[in-house]
Amino acid sequence: MSSRRKIILKELGLLPLWRIKSENLQNTIVSADSSRQEDQCEKRPASDISNNTRRQQILHMDWDQLKAEVAHCTACALSQSRTQAVFGIGDENADWLCVGEGPGAREDVTGEPFVGPAGKLLDNMLSAIGLQRGNNVYIANIVKCRPPNNRNPEVHETMQCEPFLARQIELIKPKIIIALGKIAAQNLVKCDDKISNLRGTLHHYSGIPLIVTYHPAYLLRALPDKAKAWEDLLFAKDIMRSIK
Ligand code: URA
């Protein structure tokens, strides 16, 4: 292991577990085809996704139109309490797309997703697999405006915002999507399973491989699960290697 990777893994609190987990993972990946289940969760009914004129218009927008539409969106009540919408950031031709839940207080002020401690951990997680924010990586959220008091976004809010992320994904054409946390996972996989059931499985979003891991803000509070997140990242890397 390179010393840089050692430093990063140490910072993530993963180093003592690295060898064991790596061996476990090798075993899992060697038998990936048989042991990693394909996505078997019960999908939300299609009616959950609004298929209206607004959605169709958004799905035809270019980047500039989409950014302007998001910035001025008033489709749900979150627009009334936001400082600004947080569109997303990074390489618009990225192979890797990370999707979080929605902006928090800092993101609402700065306009950039994942700033603050959870963002630093996300940067470290990316770094641990040789990636960097902005370089072949794009970071976006399920909802573009901050839910008050950092509550979970409500269903009608995620539904109004859904076409924006759908269009971002169409424009970016990532090779892999990483859903960060329960809200991102459930909305992208379109299924209401627990995150512990959704991770460790290869899902797809419009044919794009999608894997689920824990939200960095959760990982800051749940150190033991960092090792599972590390497994998820290695799983994602393995998937990426197999499709390159
Ligand atoms: N949490 C998220 O899910 N997204 C952000 O942008 C910040 C914190």
Side-chain angles (χ1 to χ4, degrees):
M1 196 186 332
S2 74
S3 58
R4 186 170 159 273
R5 178 164 282 208
K6 261 189 200 156
I7 293 166
I8 293 164
L9 289 173
K10 194 162 181 217
E11 193 167 339
L12 284 171
L14 294 172
L15 197 54
L17 298 166
W18 154 250
R19 287 184 193 289
I20 301 164
K21 288 289 165 188
S22 158
E23 281 159 16
N24 287 349
L25 192 82
Q26 286 303 338
N27 293 340
T28 324
I29 284 177
V30 166
S31 54
D33 290 345
S34 54
S35 68
R36 287 207 184 264
Q37 293 174 342
E38 276 295 317
D39 176 3
Q40 287 177 350
C41 65
E42 195 179 321
K43 301 292 181 209
R44 288 176 181 170
S47 59
D48 263 11
I49 297 172
S50 52
N51 190 15
N52 52 22
T53 316
R54 173 177 172 269
R55 185 169 198 274
Q56 290 311 313
Q57 283 169 349
I58 292 170
L59 291 180
H60 285 89
M61 289 180 178
D62 64 22
W63 278 113
D64 289 343
Q65 291 168 327
L66 191 61
K67 286 173 189 172
E69 189 73 16
V70 168
H72 297 111
C73 178
T74 55
C76 80
L78 295 184
S79 61
Q80 289 160 21
S81 52
R82 73 176 177 224
T83 304
Q84 59 191 309
V86 178
F87 182 77
I89 199 159
D91 182 346
E92 292 176 357
N93 298 304
D95 287 343
W96 296 78
L97 171 65
C98 297
V99 180
E101 175 180 324
R106 283 190 180 87
E107 291 78 16
D108 177 67
V109 170
T110 60
E112 180 170 342
F114 283 100
V115 289
K120 186 169 186 303
L121 179 56
L122 176 60
D123 288 342
N124 284 338
M125 289 163 71
L126 291 172
S127 185
I129 52 167
L131 296 170
Q132 237 186 336
R133 175 187 293 242
N135 186 359
N136 205 18
V137 178
Y138 195 93
I139 301 174
N141 279 310
I142 294 292
V143 293
K144 310 302 188 202
C145 298
R146 182 191 180 207
N149 305 316
N150 297 339
R151 65 160 168 76
N152 288 345
E154 290 173 7
V155 172
H156 71 277
E157 296 161 349
T158 59
M159 280 174 66
Q160 291 302 323
C161 236
E162 182 274 337
F164 294 140
L165 182 61
R167 185 59 182 152
Q168 283 175 304
I169 294 173
E170 281 185 353
L171 289 167
I172 297 167
K173 299 185 181 55
K175 292 199 173 132
I176 193 163
I177 301 173
I178 301 181
L180 301 165
K182 181 182 88 168
I183 299 291
Q186 291 183 339
N187 279 281
L188 290 170
V189 178
K190 300 183 178 80
C191 138
D192 294 322
D193 255 6
K194 294 193 293 196
I195 188 160
S196 51
N197 291 343
L198 293 173
R199 56 172 294 280
T201 298
L202 178 60
H203 305 274
H204 289 88
Y205 176 98
S206 294
I208 302 167
L210 181 151
I211 70 115
V212 170
T213 193
Y214 293 110
H215 193 285
Y218 165 78
L219 291 174
L220 289 172
R221 308 187 300 269
L223 295 185
D225 280 341
K226 276 186 174 177
K228 293 186 189 161
W230 176 236
E231 285 181 6
D232 298 335
L233 294 178
L234 292 180
F235 180 33
K237 251 212 126 168
D238 195 57
I239 302 283
M240 180 62 105
R241 225 178 273 125
S242 72
I243 56 181
K244 268 204 156 172

